[in-house]
Amino acid sequence: MTKISPIFSSNLPDAGTLQKPRSGRHSLVLHRESLITGGIKEPSTVSVEDMPLGEDTADMEDYVTLSKLLQEFASISSIEKAWIAKSENGSASHAMFCIGQPNFLANKKRTLFLSSHILKTTEHSVKFQWPPFPVEMIGVSKVVPSPSASKLLIVRNKENDSLVWLEIWGQSQLEKEIQIPQSVHGPLYTDGWFEGISWNQEETLIAYVAEEPAPPKPVFTDAGYKKDGSYDKDGTSWKGQGDWEEDWGETYSKKKRPTLFVLDINSGEVRSVEGIPKSLSAGQVVWAPSASIGHLKCLVFVGWSTEYGSLKTSRKLGIKYCYNRPCALYLVQSPFQEIIPDKLPCKTDEKEDFGSAFHLTRGISSAMFPRFSPDGKVLVFLSSKSAVDSGAHSATDSLHKIDWPADGKPNTSPTIYDVVPVVACPEDNCFPGIYVANIPDSPWLSDGCTMVLSSVWRCTQVILAVNVKSCTLSRITPSDSTYSWNFLALDGDNILALSSSPIDPPQVKYGFHIPQEQELTWNWLDVPSPLEGPSNKIRSLLSSHGFSILKIPVNDNSDKLSEGAKKPIESIFVSCINSRLEDSCKEGLNDGASNPLILILHGGPHSVSVSGYSKSLAFLSSLGYNLLIVNYRGSLGFGEEALQSLPGKIGCQDVNDVLAALDYVLERGLADRSKVAILGGSHGGFLTTHLIGQAPDRFAAVAVRNPVCNLALMVGITDIPDWCYFESYGMQGKKLFSEAASLEHLELFFSKSPIAHISKVKTPVLFILGAQDLRVPVSNGLQYARALKEQGVEVKIIMFPDDVHGIERPQSDFESFLNIGVWFKKYLK
């Protein structure tokens, strides 16, 4: 459950050269062929004796053929992040790109780095000078440039609870290497949620978030309990388990206490940050302006409490993808000071004991991703208060600011100003509200008051310029573009970005800033990429495709609905026939009637599918399927009223929206109504299994990934039981929430679930399950699959023993979409 659906927005694995990583802490491996050719060995002819149990000859032939095609899609590299630094004379810039590829043999992501010089050849033209080879950083968890870009922090989180390695690199050599034992802290958080790694401006200190050392476990010998707690490795003693402690749920099964630490680069010493109460989990740390609070060095961080107010639970509820967890900004001293003060020079509320940590954002239920303006006068932050206050796991965001005093002494009750408020019901084709996954580390234009960020805008992702001084914003990507855009980095006032569509792989774009009096304007240029693009075969397949964004009226337009909930939904239609889809939708497209159709349903439900490139969906469309990617009411990007119309109506309103979208394309002859399939994961799997129960004669086959099938079973074992209450009851669910669901609650959960309609199901179902899923535990899918088998429905189950909710490990992702392709080919012939 994330801002953009994790199931389909994440690309298929990028196949690179398949070699085992060499040992060594500082291995820098040069790759060129890994960017050009795929590294998956082509399947050979398979004999009957070699076939997996239960597979027929036709299926095996499909496996052979489709795996070759999938390998071609998987071999394409993808740019994940970029940094840009100006040269000393300002005539050129230096860019560094982080490139992702999978390592299939190791079943991990391979991280490559590629640098480039950016030369301004004329006033409105640019040239990128690329090196012949990228560099692979083996075992690297995170790379963070210093503010001047003259140094580089490399984080290596070792496996099996061994040492953490931090490396400081200069422009030509390794300058410092620090080994941090488990007794100091565990792995650094580098996943983008709790993650916060921040250099100070002087580039002498680095603040970061890491796992606090675990409390000592009891030690036993043959004589019983060992009081001194010493552990002998000679086999005469053993460690017990000690007290069990809550973790933060999905993807955080081994992480329980994110804590702040600071590294002194010169001495190599690491100290924990004092004054943060045990009830807070810390993350997203940044340095306060260096001139603040006299000579004090201070940090601003986000703190998540384990106390959820109206939910009346003391446990840690799952936090990954859940923006409805209350959080706030805090100010705290760095453990390294030139002068040691008694306490922060600001007053705290005596009713709250936060030690020396000062609460900066009282009066607002959510504050995250703090960013200081370049002059240090304004602290800007993102808020998910709509999610926290309502209970939705994600909702329309808002942007706020606090004036930061020149002396650095925060007021006891600082005024929080709205920069971008929540949009309830947007006008047609107007700004629908802000929906961002994070705020970039360096988002500021040269005026010092305009920040650049990516945000969802209905079915697309766009780039916005937000002026925090005037509290105005503008869309700076082309207003007539149906492509999705992703901000990478700033080169002065020029912008480096990626642009893609469902049928166009990402293209690097360079936006030249054109000064104008009334508005901010950029002229966008294509940048030739050094990465090997799609093969000729893939280019040929994609060139024959087309896509369009469809506006589809909703069926239930009652007076009880809010105005935002009455507006049309949007879906992305991808056709195997490259024609004028707008005309086709009006006049009908006879040629498309013979094409099978796959409905693509995102999870969440408060997530969104945007019009960007997805290798997995491009692979499916290349097999000859039209795609209908549905953003039902409740999706992000369409205003808060439309989003909040779904809670309490799941299994009904969202099902009706999907059926309305399906009828819309069938009535216009855009697909064969006898060959319709569905692919959905998480809540998309909830919808998929609902649809085959409520409309059992309409679908030829479906595939589900970690689906929600029985809320009554899920509520007692998921890491987010509050989700079950909120989506079933609406906002009333916050008050009804209990760790011990009543019989009345369980009956309602069951009635809202797909399993309530299972007796009518006859559609063949492929289940793809991750055995380590804490969000929708595997028992949900297995119970539903076994019940279908019991009544004679065709079922296939693929279980990945080490995967979590997203099923994103390279081998698992590849195998899952290969099986989805084979499954649909079998039933949509």
Side-chain angles (χ1 to χ4, degrees), residues 534-725:
S535 65
N536 290 334
K537 180 178 181 180
I538 298 302
R539 291 179 188 276
S540 176
L541 287 169
L542 294 178
S543 67
S544 66
H545 294 184
F547 83 98
S548 181
I549 296 177
L550 310 178
K551 293 184 181 294
I552 301 167
V554 297
N555 288 333
D556 54 335
N557 204 359
S558 68
D559 293 336
K560 295 182 180 180
L561 290 175
S562 63
E563 288 302 313
K566 296 177 183 178
K567 292 180 176 292
I569 63 171
E570 288 188 358
S571 297
I572 304 165
F573 183 74
V574 182
S575 172
C576 299
I577 301 172
N578 189 3
S579 59
R580 289 185 55 82
L581 290 179
E582 295 85 355
D583 296 338
S584 302
C585 293
K586 297 176 183 178
E587 302 169 6
L589 179 63
N590 294 330
D591 291 338
S594 60
N595 289 339
L597 177 71
I598 303 176
L599 293 173
I600 307 295
L601 307 179
H602 67 70
H606 310 302
S607 179
V608 63
S609 293
V610 298
S611 61
Y613 185 73
S614 162
K615 294 181 185 179
S616 55
L617 298 190
F619 163 69
L620 292 177
S621 67
S622 71
L623 300 179
Y625 304 122
N626 292 343
L627 306 180
L628 183 63
I629 307 167
V630 183
N631 283 312
Y632 43 87
R633 281 173 294 173
S635 301
L636 300 176
F638 298 87
E640 188 66 5
E641 287 185 356
L643 186 145
Q644 293 292 351
S645 70
L646 179 58
K649 302 175 186 176
I650 56 168
C652 180
Q653 177 177 292
D654 44 5
V655 169
N656 290 336
D657 284 353
V658 175
L659 289 175
L662 175 59
D663 290 338
Y664 185 90
V665 298
L666 292 178
E667 289 168 1
R668 286 156 179 78
L670 299 177
D672 184 342
R673 65 177 60 247
S674 68
K675 299 178 181 179
V676 179
I678 318 174
L679 173 57
S682 192
H683 188 84
F686 173 88
L687 282 174
T688 300
T689 46
H690 253 303
L691 285 159
I692 59 176
Q694 295 189 40
D697 298 317
R698 301 198 64 175
F699 305 103
V702 302
V704 290
R705 291 161 55 102
N706 287 330
V708 177
C709 299
N710 185 350
L711 291 165
L713 175 63
M714 176 181 167
V715 69
I717 52 177
T718 178
D719 66 330
I720 53 167
D722 59 313
W723 179 90
C724 300
Y725 275 88

Side-chain angles (χ1 to χ4, degrees), residues 650 686 709-718 721 724-725 728-729 736-756 780 783:
I650 56 168
F686 173 88
C709 299
N710 185 350
L711 291 165
L713 175 63
M714 176 181 167
V715 69
I717 52 177
T718 178
C724 300
Y725 275 88
S728 298
Y729 282 98
L736 297 175
F737 171 73
S738 171
E739 294 286 359
S742 68
L743 178 60
E744 179 185 355
H745 296 165
L746 293 174
E747 288 176 343
L748 181 103
F749 292 148
F750 187 88
S751 70
K752 294 272 187 180
S753 301
I755 201 167
N780 235 255
Q783 181 196 43

Side-chain angles (χ1 to χ4, degrees), residues 194 246-250 252 305-306 308 311-320 322 324-326 718-723 737 739 775:
F194 288 109
E246 292 270 11
D247 56 41
W248 280 106
E250 173 69 15
Y252 288 116
S305 174
T306 55
Y308 297 106
L311 289 181
K312 299 178 182 178
T313 181
S314 59
R315 65 174 283 186
K316 291 177 180 175
L317 296 171
I319 199 168
K320 188 72 172 182
C322 294
N324 58 334
R325 306 300 176 223
T718 178
D719 66 330
I720 53 167
D722 59 313
W723 179 90
F737 171 73
E739 294 286 359
R775 184 62 36 100

Side-chain angles (χ1 to χ4, degrees), residues 744-808:
E744 179 185 355
H745 296 165
L746 293 174
E747 288 176 343
L748 181 103
F749 292 148
F750 187 88
S751 70
K752 294 272 187 180
S753 301
I755 201 167
H757 304 276
I758 197 168
S759 63
K760 297 176 284 185
V761 175
K762 48 191 176 184
T763 305
V765 184
L766 169 63
F767 290 84
I768 296 175
L769 306 175
Q772 303 305 314
D773 187 355
L774 300 179
R775 184 62 36 100
V776 185
V778 69
S779 57
N780 235 255
L782 283 178
Q783 181 196 43
Y784 191 88
R786 288 164 175 162
L788 287 179
K789 283 186 175 181
E790 187 177 61
Q791 61 190 48
V793 176
E794 185 72 20
V795 167
K796 181 174 181 176
I797 302 171
I798 298 177
M799 179 80 71
F800 296 103
D802 298 318
D803 277 85
V804 294
H805 191 59
I807 313 182
E808 295 173 340

